[in-house]
Amino acid sequence: MAVLLSTLATEIVIPVAAVIGIVFSLVQWFIVSRVKVTPERHAPPPGPNSNKNGFNDYLIEEEEGLHDQNVVAKCAEIQNAISEGATSFLFTEYQYVGVFMVVFAILIFLFLGSVEGFSTKSQPCTYDAQRTCKPALATAIFSTVAFVLGGVTSILSGFLGMKIATYANARTTLEARKGVGKAFIVAFRSGAVMGFLLAANGLLVLYITINVFKVYYGDDWEGLFESITGYGLGGSAMALFGRVGGGIYTKAADVGADLVGKVERNIPEDDPRNPAVIADNVGDNVGDIAGMGSDLFGSYAESSCAALVVASISSFGINHEFTSMLYPLLISSMGILICLITTLFATDFFEIKAVKEIEPALKKQLIISTVLMTVGIAIISWIALPSSFTIYNFGVQKVVKNWQLFLCVAVGLWAGLIIGFVTEYYTSNAYSPVQDVADSCRTGAATNVIFGLALGYKSVIIPIFAIAVSIFVSFSFAAMYGIAVAALGMLSTIATGLAIDAYGPISDNAGGIAEMAGMSHRIRERTDALDAAGNTTAAIGKGFAIGSAALVSLALFGAFVSRAAISTVDVLTPKVFIGLIVGAMLPYWFSAMTMKSVGSAALKMVEEVRRQFNTIPGLMEGTAKPDYATCVKISTDASIKEMIPPGALVILTPLIVGTLFGVETLSGVLAGSLVSGVQVAISASNTGGAWDNAKKYIEAGASEHARTLGPKGSDPHKAAVIGDTIGDPLKDTSGPSLNILIKLMAVESLVFAPFFATHGGLLFKIF
C-alpha cells in the first residue's frame, strides 16, 4: 500500500512547520517587547481593558506605584547588569567550547577516516554486501560537518534562550505591579519564545542537513543517515559543557549568597546589599536556561538520529520510501503545531486572576499538549506510514504494522506525562512528601537531610516503572526503532515543555529584581508565587529530560550494537561484565566531580562575600554599594575551570574503552552507565527540588502548618535553608548533567562504532 503523504508533501510540510514555529516565537517576543522598561514621562494611554474596569485598574496602579519612575529605572539597571553578566559568561564559555569543537571534529575525521585507511573507493555496504556504498572517508567528512552543525545549533539554542530570558525578567517584574496574571503571561510568553525557537531550529537544521547530504549520497541512505548521527553528537557535546559549566556557575553563586546572606547576616534572599546577588541571578539564566536549552536540544537531535539510523537499514531505507523515512521529523513538525495551539490556552483563551491558578495553568499545558499530540501522532502514523513494513532487529527484519508504531510513540509521550506528574507530586509543596520534609525541620537540619534523601530515593520508583513499561511495549512492537520513536514521543511536546521550564528561571529573576529595586511587599509576594510554581515546573522539566535521556540512550545503544555487528550482549562474559560494573560507577564519579566543583567554587564565593561585608563600610546599612563584578568573575572563572574534568571524563571514556577493550566491553559500559545514571539523576534532582520547596513552604506561611514552622529566621527555617543549600548542587548541577552523561556516551559510541568495530580492542588483540 502506498503512503498517503507524497514525497513532495513531506518536503514541504517539515520546513513549513519549522518556519511557523519560528514566526510564532517572534510574534510572542514582539508582544513581550511591548512592555516598556524605559521610564515614561506621562501616564500610559488606557489599554484595551480600560472600558471593562478602567477605573479600578487605575486605582490599583496608583497604589502599586505604577508611575514611580525610579523603580522602572532601577529595574532596567539591574536587568542590564544580569544580561551583561550572562552574555560575558557565555562568550567565555563558548571560546573554550569552540576550541574543544575544533579538536574533536578533527578526531572524528581521523578516527572514521582511518576505518578503510582513508581510501576513496566505494565499499560494499555494512548490512548488505551485494550493494556498494560510499567510502568510509565520506562518512568521516560528513559526520564531522554534521557534528559542527549540531554543536553550533546547540550553542545557538542556549544563547537565544538566555537572551530572551534576560530580556523578559524585568518586564515580568514591572507587569507584576498590575497583578499576578499579567506577570504570569509575560514570563510564560518569553518561555514560549525559547521553546519554539529551539524546537523549530533543531528541526529545520536537521532537515536541511539531510537534504544537502542527500545530494552526495544519492541512493546510499545507509551511509547518509550514519553520517547524520554526528548532528546528535554535536548537540550533546555542547550541552554537556553548557549544563556542567552553567550548573557550577549558578550554584556557586547561589550557595555563596545564601550561606552568608541568609544564614549569617539574616538578610533576605536577593537583598541588594548581598554582593553575590547579581551573580546568583545571572546563574539562573546560564544554568537553568542556556544549559537546559542545549540539553533538551541534544536529546531531540539524538532521538531523531537514532530513529533515522535504524530506519535506514529497515524497509523504509532499503526501498527508499522518503516520507516513511522522515517519520521522526514529521512527528516533530506535528509537535510544533500542537504546542502552538496549547500555548494559546495559557496566553489567550483563559486569563489567570489569582495566585492559586498559576500551577494548575502550567499543569494544564502538559495535559492539553499530551492529549492533542496523541491525536496528532495518530494522524501522522496514518498518512506517513505504509500499513505494514519491516524494521531491522539485530540481523533480522521484523514485520511491523503502522498502528503498532503509533502505540510506540504514544507510550513514550504518556510515560513522559506520568514522569512529569510524579516529579511534581514529590517536589511541589502542595503535597504531603514536601510537607513532611518541611515538618522534619522542627528537629533541625539533620532530620531534614534524612527525610529529603529518602524522598529522592523513593521518587525513583514510579518513573522507572514508567520507563520500563514503555521500553517493553515499544521494543516488543518495533524493536530498537520503537524505543527511538518512544523517546521522540516523549520529546514531541518539547516546545511546551521548554516554555514551562524557562518560565521558572524568568520568574525567579523577576522576584530578585523586585527585591533589589525595593518594590513593595505585595509585589514580592506575587513574584514569589510565580517563582514557587516555577520551581515545580523546573523539576517536571528535569524529569522529562532524564526520562527521555534514558530512552534515547537505549535507542542509541541499540543502534550502536547493530552498527558494531554484535549479535548479543552477554552479561556473563567477563569482557562485558567488567564494562557493566565500571559503567555503573561512572555516574558516581561524575557526580563527585561536579559536587566538589560547586563546593570549592562556593567556598571562594563565601570568602569574597564575607570580605566585602567586613571591609566595605556602610554595606549592611545600605549606604555603600557592594562590588558585584568580583563575585560574577569568581563564578565565571570557577565554572570554566571546573567544567573541564567532568567533560573530559564523559568524552574520553567511550574512546578509551572502545579502542583498548573493544565493542563488547563498551556495550557493557553503556548499559551500566544508563542503568545507574537514571536512578542517581532522578533522585538527585527530586531531593534538591523537595528541599528547595520545603524552604519556600515555610517562608510563604500559606497554611496553618507552615505558620507553626515559620517565620523566616526561625530555627526550622534555618534548618530548611541548610537543606536547600545542600540540594542546590544536587538539583541543578549533578542531577541534570547526568542525563547528558548517559546520552553523550551512547551517541559518541555510535558515531565511532565503525572505527571500534574494525580497530578496537587493542588489549585483547595483543594478549
Side-chain angles (χ1 to χ4, degrees):
M1 180 198 120
V3 180
L4 292 172
L5 197 66
S6 69
T7 301
L8 179 67
T10 307
E11 293 275 16
I12 296 168
V13 165
I14 296 175
V16 163
V19 169
I20 289 175
I22 292 170
V23 169
F24 181 69
S25 70
L26 293 176
V27 169
Q28 296 291 353
W29 179 76
F30 172 70
I31 297 174
V32 171
S33 72
R34 282 169 41 196
V35 180
K36 291 285 171 271
V37 207
T38 44
E40 291 181 12
R41 286 283 151 261
H42 51 84
N49 302 344
S50 55
N51 50 8
K52 220 169 30 184
N53 51 0
F55 191 57
N56 304 5
D57 261 9
Y58 189 65
L59 280 179
I60 294 172
E61 289 176 1
E62 281 301 337
E63 179 182 67
E64 295 291 357
L66 200 77
H67 304 308
D68 183 356
Q69 302 308 343
N70 295 347
V71 169
V72 183
K74 222 165 190 178
C75 281
E77 182 194 342
I78 298 162
Q79 176 190 28
N80 219 10
I82 294 174
S83 186
E84 274 170 24
T87 310
S88 76
F89 167 72
L90 286 179
F91 273 128
T92 316
E93 181 182 65
Y94 293 156
Q95 281 164 5
Y96 283 80
V97 169
V99 173
F100 159 78
M101 201 148 115
V102 173
V103 173
F104 203 65
I106 296 168
L107 259 185
I108 295 177
F109 176 71
L110 293 176
F111 269 67
L112 292 181
S114 69
V115 171
E116 304 285 352
F118 295 98
S119 93
T120 48
K121 288 197 285 295
S122 290
Q123 306 292 338
C125 296
T126 318
Y127 298 99
D128 180 4
Q130 273 77 51
R131 303 198 355 257
T132 52
C133 285
K134 299 290 188 213
L137 189 62
T139 304
I141 295 170
F142 283 104
S143 291
T144 310
V145 172
F147 167 76
V148 173
L149 278 172
V152 170
T153 314
S154 184
I155 284 178
L156 201 66
S157 306
F159 187 73
L160 289 174
M162 184 281 300
K163 271 294 185 216
I164 178 69
T166 51
Y167 183 80
N169 49 19
R171 288 174 164 78
T172 306
T173 311
L174 293 171
E175 286 291 278
R177 297 176 307 177
K178 299 182 189 164
V180 78
K182 295 263 198 298
F184 169 80
I185 284 184
V186 170
F188 189 80
R189 279 189 201 281
S190 322
V193 175
M194 176 185 177
F196 283 93
L197 266 183
L198 192 136
N201 269 343
L203 178 65
L204 197 58
V205 177
L206 180 58
Y207 173 77
I208 293 170
T209 312
I210 290 174
N211 277 315
V212 171
F213 284 15
K214 214 165 118 212
V215 175
Y216 168 80
Y217 276 103
D219 275 351
D220 174 16
W221 284 18
E222 183 189 301
L224 164 65
F225 290 105
E226 189 171 301
S227 57
I228 290 284
T229 51
Y231 183 71
L233 178 60
S236 246
M238 300 308 111
L240 175 70
F241 292 111
R243 238 334 176 189
V244 176
I248 293 169
Y249 185 107
T250 169
K251 290 305 118 177
D254 197 355
V255 172
D258 281 2
L259 283 179
V260 184
K262 284 195 200 157
V263 180
E264 290 176 16
R265 296 278 166 169
N266 254 336
I267 55 177
E269 192 167 2
D270 297 321
D271 190 294
R273 293 170 294 182
N274 193 334
V277 67
I278 294 283
D280 185 7
N281 281 298
V282 170
D284 291 333
N285 292 302
V286 295
D288 296 351
I289 296 233
M292 185 75 201
S294 297
D295 180 4
L296 278 174
F297 166 73
S299 282
Y300 163 73
E302 283 157 340
S303 55
S304 305
C305 292
L308 291 169
V309 168
V310 180
S312 70
I313 49 177
S314 304
S315 64
F316 300 155
I318 298 166
N319 308 335
H320 296 99
E321 296 165 0
F322 191 68
T323 301
S324 316
M325 188 66 222
L326 291 192
Y327 178 67
L329 277 77
L330 286 166
I331 290 182
S332 309
S333 312
M334 182 56 108
I336 291 177
L337 303 177
I338 295 287
C339 289
L340 198 152
I341 299 167
T342 311
T343 305
L344 296 175
F345 275 98
T347 54
D348 298 83
F349 299 157
F350 297 110
E351 204 182 340
I352 286 191
K353 293 193 175 62
V355 168
K356 59 174 185 296
E357 293 170 22
I358 301 169
E359 241 179 86
L362 292 167
K363 276 161 65 177
K364 273 189 206 123
Q365 284 288 297
L366 285 177
I367 297 170
I368 294 169
S369 64
T370 305
V371 171
L372 291 178
M373 193 60 205
T374 310
V375 180
I377 297 166
I379 295 171
I380 293 286
S381 305
W382 179 54
I383 61 172
L385 295 173
S387 56
S388 175
F389 44 91
T390 64
I391 294 288
Y392 181 85
N393 179 20
F394 300 126
V396 292
Q397 292 283 355
K398 176 184 170 102
V399 178
V400 181
K401 303 264 190 290
N402 58 1
W403 59 267
Q404 290 176 313
L405 208 50
F406 157 69
L407 284 179
C408 293
V409 187
V411 79
L413 178 67
W414 285 90
L417 186 69
I418 290 168
I419 293 174
F421 278 150
V422 170
T423 312
E424 194 229 5
Y425 174 71
Y426 279 106
T427 55
S428 162
N429 51 26
Y431 303 104
S432 60
V434 171
Q435 292 171 7
D436 289 346
V437 171
D439 194 60
S440 71
C441 294
R442 288 175 198 278
T443 45
T447 40
N448 180 25
V449 170
I450 295 169
F451 270 69
L453 287 172
L455 175 143
Y457 297 148
K458 198 173 157 194
S459 71
V460 175
I461 303 168
I462 300 174
I464 292 294
F465 277 120
I467 293 171
V469 168
S470 44
I471 288 171
F472 184 77
V473 171
S474 49
F475 193 92
S476 309
F477 281 148
M480 275 301 163
Y481 188 67
I483 291 175
V485 292
L488 258 175
M490 203 178 272
L491 291 165
S492 58
T493 51
I494 184 174
T496 295
L498 260 171
I500 291 176
D501 216 15
Y503 155 86
I506 292 172
S507 35
D508 190 350
N509 259 226
I513 292 175
E515 180 78 47
M516 282 185 268
M519 289 181 149
S520 72
H521 178 63
R522 287 174 51 183
I523 293 176
R524 187 63 229 228
E525 270 178 4
R526 287 171 190 168
T527 55
D528 273 351
L530 290 172
D531 185 16
N535 242 345
T536 304
T537 56
I540 293 179
K542 285 174 193 134
F544 260 96
I546 296 165
S548 63
L551 290 175
V552 168
S553 84
L554 187 60
L556 291 164
F557 178 60
F560 160 73
V561 170
S562 306
R563 182 62 188 86
I566 311 172
S567 47
T568 53
V569 179
D570 181 4
V571 184
L572 293 176
T573 49
K575 266 190 202 178
V576 176
F577 192 80
I578 55 168
L580 199 64
I581 200 158
V582 169
M585 172 274 299
L586 289 173
Y588 291 92
W589 189 359
F590 181 80
S591 299
M593 283 180 170
T594 47
M595 301 278 290
K596 191 91 188 293
S597 303
V598 171
S600 56
L603 201 88
K604 291 194 190 92
M605 186 67 80
V606 167
E607 281 165 1
E608 171 60 25
V609 174
R610 277 185 191 149
R611 184 193 67 74
Q612 290 198 25
F613 272 126
N614 295 333
T615 57
I616 300 179
L619 183 55
M620 273 304 281
E621 291 72 45
T623 49
K625 272 187 116 168
D627 172 9
Y628 296 127
T630 314
C631 290
V632 172
K633 189 168 169 13
I634 287 182
S635 255
T636 303
D637 295 350
S639 55
I640 297 291
K641 193 174 102 250
E642 303 277 2
M643 79 182 181
I644 295 165
L649 173 73
V650 179
I651 283 161
L652 295 177
T653 302
L655 291 179
I656 294 170
V657 173
T659 311
L660 296 180
F661 299 94
V663 282
E664 273 105 341
T665 310
L666 181 53
S667 61
V669 169
L670 294 179
S673 65
L674 165 63
V675 167
S676 90
V678 175
Q679 332 289 335
V680 180
I682 296 177
S683 61
S685 65
N686 289 351
T687 292
W691 275 328
D692 192 346
N693 273 343
K695 174 205 69 174
K696 284 214 166 56
Y697 173 74
I698 295 176
E699 286 176 353
S703 69
E704 200 48 54
H705 175 231
R707 283 193 286 277
T708 60
L709 298 167
K712 288 187 185 180
S714 66
D715 281 346
H717 178 247
K718 278 191 174 151
V721 170
I722 293 173
D724 176 32
T725 315
I726 302 171
D728 273 338
L730 284 172
K731 79 173 195 306
D732 288 324
T733 314
S734 296
S737 311
L738 277 174
N739 56 45
I740 303 183
L741 168 132
I742 314 170
K743 293 181 308 197
L744 185 55
M745 282 173 43
V747 73
E748 192 183 340
S749 307
L750 174 60
V751 171
F752 287 107
F755 173 81
F756 297 149
T758 13
H759 302 304
L762 294 180
L763 284 185
F764 295 130
K765 281 178 184 165
I766 297 167
F767 300 125

